[in-house]
Amino acid sequence: MSNVTTHYGSDGIVERILAAIPDAKIDSLDAAQFYPFDQLHGRELIATQDHAARLAPSPGDRILDIGSGIGGPARFLAATYGCDVDGVDLTPAFVEASSRLTELCGLGDKVRFQQADAAKLPFADGTFDAAICFYVGMNIADKAGVIGEAFRVLKPGGRLIWTEAVLAGGEPHYPLPWAVAPAASHLVDRTALQALFADAGFRIDEIIDETGDHVELARKRASSGIVPSPAQQQANEIVLGAEFLQRRKNYIGSLSDSKLASLAIIASKRG
């Protein structure tokens, strides 16, 4: 736990995000105003939109967000689809920030966060209609434990969307967004990851290789001169550190060099 919580988290997350929002009025904030700053995973808001559309929850559904970070995807799901979301994360600063941001944009009655170990979820069997886990697996040593817990807390027929970078050929370029060095990175290959879902009892409905999407988006942004705004850079720096641009560059380079692949696994709990 200590490696993860020291790698991530910083003081002043909420204050820095609020300072970065143009003309922010504390009493009339909308979740969408946070999206440039709170989607802290590969392809950011685009990926959240894509995977949320695949999940397509109903307004009455209860969703679990495993490794919820500062709450961006959870707030997006609640604001867009009207569902209820519970987020769990190991990092206390993230739980505090995600809860405060959620209250500020008026979603406190729909979205809740708590500090918890995803391998020991504080929920009863069959609690959730669906679950998401976006780019958290690279920090998880006990992947089998977390996937098994996701299976346990899902209702029969419930779906899980899990995105993760996996080994594809050789050592990737460090530092990466989730780890400074290999010792803190828990990467497996596609076959090993797929087996963990099957072993837990999931039916794998689809595996989507998103590697090309990541590389193409980075290429388009670079060719058009699009770079993170100073406000976005500051928001990323408080989570990933001052070298986050290099971390992101190394990640895209590792994908381009076929050292890593980016997968989305869509699985369901057998009824």
Side-chain angles (χ1 to χ4, degrees), residues 132-161:
I132 61 172
C133 184
F134 291 166
Y135 289 98
V136 178
M138 300 87 70
N139 283 122
I140 297 174
D142 184 13
K143 295 183 200 292
V146 173
I147 294 169
E149 277 291 89
F151 184 88
R152 179 183 68 78
V153 301
L154 280 172
K155 297 176 181 178
R159 290 192 299 155
L160 168 65
I161 296 185

Side-chain angles (χ1 to χ4, degrees), residues 119-130:
K120 300 174 183 177
L121 289 171
F123 303 107
D125 296 0
T127 297
F128 296 97
D129 298 284

Side-chain angles (χ1 to χ4, degrees), residues 10 16 232-245:
S10 175
R16 295 191 196 192
Q232 288 173 310
Q233 181 166 335
Q234 183 188 61
N236 278 272
E237 284 177 350
I238 64 176
V239 176
L240 298 176
E243 74 280 15
F244 95 93
L245 287 175

Side-chain angles (χ1 to χ4, degrees), residues 5-250:
T5 56
T6 55
H7 176 72
Y8 297 107
S10 175
D11 294 330
I13 293 174
V14 174
E15 288 72 21
R16 295 191 196 192
I17 289 176
L18 291 176
I21 297 173
D23 303 318
K25 295 179 174 60
I26 299 300
D27 59 349
S28 61
L29 287 167
D30 184 89
Q33 291 177 272
F34 299 147
Y35 295 161
F37 315 103
D38 65 7
Q39 308 292 318
L40 300 175
H41 50 264
R43 293 194 304 130
E44 301 161 340
L45 180 60
I46 296 171
T48 300
Q49 292 170 325
D50 287 351
H51 298 312
R54 292 185 175 107
L55 199 62
S58 300
D61 284 353
R62 189 174 178 188
I63 313 298
L64 174 65
D65 185 356
I66 301 168
S68 49
I70 61 172
R75 284 188 292 274
F76 178 89
L77 283 166
T80 305
Y81 294 93
C83 51
D84 290 279
V85 187
D86 289 86
V88 295
D89 203 282
L90 275 177
T91 305
F94 282 6
V95 175
E96 179 185 358
S98 57
S99 298
R100 287 181 61 197
L101 290 169
T102 300
E103 291 292 337
L104 285 169
C105 67
L107 288 172
D109 62 332
K110 303 291 291 181
V111 187
R112 299 156 297 275
F113 299 95
Q114 60 180 297
Q115 184 182 2
D117 182 350
K120 300 174 183 177
L121 289 171
F123 303 107
D125 296 0
T127 297
F128 296 97
D129 298 284
I132 61 172
C133 184
F134 291 166
Y135 289 98
V136 178
M138 300 87 70
N139 283 122
I140 297 174
D142 184 13
K143 295 183 200 292
V146 173
I147 294 169
E149 277 291 89
F151 184 88
R152 179 183 68 78
V153 301
L154 280 172
K155 297 176 181 178
R159 290 192 299 155
L160 168 65
I161 296 185
W162 180 291
T163 61
E164 183 169 346
V166 298
L167 291 169
E171 189 77 358
H173 310 298
Y174 287 91
L176 288 161
W178 59 88
V180 175
S185 185
H186 302 286
L187 293 165
V188 297
D189 63 24
R190 174 179 177 143
T191 301
L193 183 61
Q194 186 172 342
L196 290 172
F197 286 90
D199 290 346
F202 279 105
R203 179 182 68 238
I204 296 178
D205 300 317
E206 189 176 6
I207 299 178
I208 304 164
D209 191 324
E210 300 185 315
T211 306
D213 295 331
H214 285 259
V215 174
E216 180 63 14
L217 179 61
R219 187 196 66 76
K220 286 182 177 178
R221 286 176 172 175
S223 63
S224 63
I226 296 174
V227 296
S229 69
Q232 288 173 310
Q233 181 166 335
Q234 183 188 61
N236 278 272
E237 284 177 350
I238 64 176
V239 176
L240 298 176
E243 74 280 15
F244 95 93
L245 287 175
Q246 184 61 51
R247 291 174 185 254
R248 180 180 290 174
K249 181 179 178 181
N250 287 346

